[in-house]
Amino acid sequence: MSLWSRTRNAVYGEITRTSMELFLTRGFDATTIDDIAAAAGISRRSFFRYFGTKEDVVLGDLATRGDLIRQALEARPDGEDPWDALCAALHSVKDAAYGSDEEMLAVFKMVHQTPSLRARSIEKHLQWQAMLTPEIRRRLGADPSDPLDVRAEALVASVLTCLDVAGEAWGRADGKVPLEDLFDAAAAAVHGGSS
């Protein structure tokens, strides 16, 4: 990695840490881009070199996590039930999330309580759906050119909704119940107990 790339990554990380501290202490909506720039020692213009929006600071790496889930899904055994493969892929990348459970819980709560973050999160999950659907189509033996075969999209959307519902419940429970257990309960309710 070049010096320029290392420097860029370091600045990106510093802006992210500074922003998250402000969001979690002041609140997302109460924190402005100017606040972030001042605290990070950068200009407003520099902020926009790294992030398109405040929401991207919180949710920008969801696309990366979606790719990790896709890779984990593709690594699952071919004969595995597509639903079970999706659930297992999600479980396998849980440690690539936000850090400690306390940090992750604070972020989940912030996302679910902030309409702009919630909307951006749904948008990112739609990107995940587009990434994961081709592999589920393959596992189902579906014709990728058949626009009326909605099975793969339905399976992926259902699993992602289970994740979203579990995350919201985890936040309501203040993390007292493991997120994985809530996800498994939601998945079992949708898929008849086979996950």
Side-chain angles (χ1 to χ4, degrees):
M1 189 180 273
S2 70
L3 176 61
W4 183 86
S5 295
R6 289 195 310 271
T7 302
R8 182 170 173 77
N9 286 344
V11 172
Y12 179 93
E14 180 60 29
I15 295 169
T16 301
R17 279 187 297 280
T18 301
S19 300
M20 292 305 292
E21 287 172 17
L22 291 171
F23 294 154
L24 295 174
T25 55
R26 295 182 184 179
F28 182 81
D29 289 329
T31 303
T32 67
I33 290 172
D34 288 333
D35 293 335
I36 295 167
I42 60 171
S43 68
R44 181 180 174 87
R45 183 176 169 146
S46 292
F47 174 89
F48 287 113
R49 284 192 195 116
Y50 293 90
F51 300 98
T53 64
K54 280 194 315 181
E55 289 79 7
D56 288 337
V57 176
V58 180
L59 300 170
D61 70 335
L62 276 182
T64 302
R65 272 184 269 144
D67 193 50
L68 291 174
I69 295 166
R70 180 192 56 76
Q71 291 172 30
L73 175 61
E74 290 172 354
R76 300 296 306 168
D78 265 345
E80 189 172 28
D81 175 78
W83 180 272
D84 293 336
L86 273 167
C87 291
L90 279 167
H91 275 294
S92 72
V93 298
K94 72 177 182 67
D95 294 332
Y98 294 96
S100 72
D101 278 353
E102 294 80 22
E103 292 169 319
M104 194 163 79
L105 179 61
V107 171
F108 267 63
K109 284 182 174 183
M110 182 172 56
V111 168
H112 286 281
Q113 294 167 359
T114 309
S116 64
L117 284 172
R118 185 94 164 117
R120 190 77 168 131
S121 174
I122 291 167
E123 183 183 314
K124 294 288 187 177
H125 279 184
L126 289 173
Q127 291 174 3
W128 286 12
Q129 184 171 334
M131 280 189 249
L132 300 172
T133 295
E135 175 61 13
I136 295 302
R137 277 187 173 275
R138 185 191 71 75
R139 287 170 178 269
L140 291 171
D143 178 356
S145 65
D146 182 355
L148 302 179
D149 188 342
V150 296
R151 296 175 298 155
E153 288 89 345
L155 280 170
V156 174
S158 296
V159 167
L160 294 177
T161 298
C162 289
L163 178 63
D164 196 42
V165 166
E168 196 165 352
W170 189 55
R172 284 194 310 266
D174 270 340
K176 292 183 175 81
V177 177
L179 177 59
E180 296 83 4
D181 292 354
L182 292 166
F183 171 72
D184 288 342
V190 171
H191 197 61
S194 67
S195 66

